[in-house]
Amino acid sequence: MADIYLLAGLTLPQGVAHESLPGTVTRFMADCWPGMSRAQMIGRAKLRGLRLSFRATAPCPSGETGVFELRFHDGAGECLMLARLQRVGSRKGGNRRTRRTDVSRPPARDPRQTPLF
């Protein structure tokens, strides 16, 4: 069974400026929220035309937060970010479909802040 990983935070590697990121990656970062699942992150990346791959920097036991390398491929180049993901454990029930209430929802955004993104 697959483990469930939830987003705790995103950051850039040391020495990488935010301004050097492609626009699609910047928009992807704006779409992320704490508690977002790894599957939701992959889905959002696909909607933006990005291929996203995860690689753990060290083993992460259940219930702990680990650091993962995120590699974005957009066909023209590659971009690296770091994500802190919390490993929540395994799914129970095998091929059980996720109920609508189990899915993490994005936080409500203030409409006055929309022009900032």
Side-chain angles (χ1 to χ4, degrees):
M1 286 185 237
D3 292 326
I4 299 172
Y5 290 91
L6 301 178
L7 180 65
L10 288 171
T11 187
L12 292 172
Q14 192 168 4
V16 177
H18 184 269
E19 295 81 19
S20 67
L21 295 175
T24 53
V25 175
T26 304
R27 287 188 294 276
F28 169 80
M29 287 176 61
D31 285 346
C32 294
W33 64 89
M36 180 181 210
S37 72
R38 183 173 67 172
Q40 288 174 318
M41 291 176 71
I42 292 171
R44 294 277 172 139
K46 284 183 182 177
L47 288 175
R48 298 260 178 223
L50 298 167
R51 285 188 337 206
L52 178 62
S53 64
F54 290 84
R55 178 178 293 164
T57 57
C60 176
S62 185
E64 297 291 323
T65 301
V67 178
F68 288 75
E69 288 182 354
L70 301 181
R71 294 198 181 270
F72 296 92
H73 303 275
D74 65 353
E78 182 177 288
C79 179
L80 173 69
M81 285 181 54
L82 299 174
R84 295 178 49 83
L85 299 177
Q86 181 183 13
R87 182 177 173 192
V88 204
S90 299
R91 294 182 184 159
K92 295 183 175 101
N95 199 7
R96 180 180 66 94
R97 294 190 58 88
T98 305
R99 291 191 341 237
R100 201 90 163 125
T101 57
D102 293 343
V103 177
S104 172
R105 295 285 195 204
R109 295 205 175 157
D110 187 350
R112 296 172 295 178
Q113 294 181 345
T114 305
L116 299 174
F117 296 107

